[in-house]
């Protein structure tokens, strides 16, 4: 089992950057594929980016070239560097983990979310 805690959200102007982090508990973090999802007001939660056990990545088209996911297995962390932010990136961002899912899919473990607001 793994518990996830996100941090790093906030308010930023369009064109700016933010770095989200997800801290995981548990002893087998390296066995988990990790992902970031987001949910904007009035919309369904959507996949943003995922990273596999060995570092392979999958990005949603809407964030390709702007967002970068990375993982630090030694410190049980996943980071999301968000650059060139747009107002449409405004959402609650969730960290997710699963041992049997890579990329878009139904993840078993979720964090509580962190708010990202991009002003125009």
């Amino acid at each position: 089992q793994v518990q996830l805690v996100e941090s790093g959200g906030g308010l930023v102007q369009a064109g700016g950057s933010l770095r989200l982090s997800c801290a995981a508990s548990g002893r087998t973090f390296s066995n988990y594929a990790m992902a970031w999802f987001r949910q904007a007001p009035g919309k369904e939660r959507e996949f943003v980016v995922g990273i596999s056990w060995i570092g392979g990545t999958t990005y949603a088209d809407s964030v390709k070239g702007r967002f970068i996911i990375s993982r630090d297995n030694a410190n049980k962390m996943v980071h999301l560097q968000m650059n060139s932010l747009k107002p449409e990136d405004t959402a609650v961002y969730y960290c997710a983990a699963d041992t049997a899912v890579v990329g878009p899919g139904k993840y078993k473990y979720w964090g509580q979310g962190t708010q990202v607001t991009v002003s125009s």
Side-chain angles (χ1 to χ4, degrees), residues 19 25 47 52 85 106:
R19 187 181 191 232
S25 65
F47 172 81
S52 72
L85 283 162
K106 190 174 181 180

Side-chain angles (χ1 to χ4, degrees), residues 1-71:
Q1 189 170 358
V2 63
Q3 293 181 326
L4 306 171
V5 179
E6 302 97 334
S7 61
L11 173 64
V12 64
Q13 289 188 331
S17 298
L18 278 176
R19 187 181 191 232
L20 305 184
S21 297
C22 175
S25 65
R27 292 183 291 178
T28 58
F29 175 75
S30 60
N31 292 346
Y32 288 85
M34 304 296 295
W36 288 94
F37 287 74
R38 66 186 181 187
Q39 187 167 19
K43 295 186 177 181
E44 293 186 355
R45 187 155 52 188
E46 65 174 358
F47 172 81
V48 176
V49 58
I51 187 166
S52 72
W53 311 270
I54 57 172
T57 56
T58 304
Y59 290 87
D61 288 344
S62 58
V63 305
K64 279 182 181 176
R66 300 190 297 122
F67 290 12
I68 302 171
I69 190 172
S70 60
R71 67 185 298 159

Side-chain angles (χ1 to χ4, degrees), residues 33 36 75 80 83 98:
W36 288 94
N75 292 303
L80 181 63
N83 301 319
D98 201 292

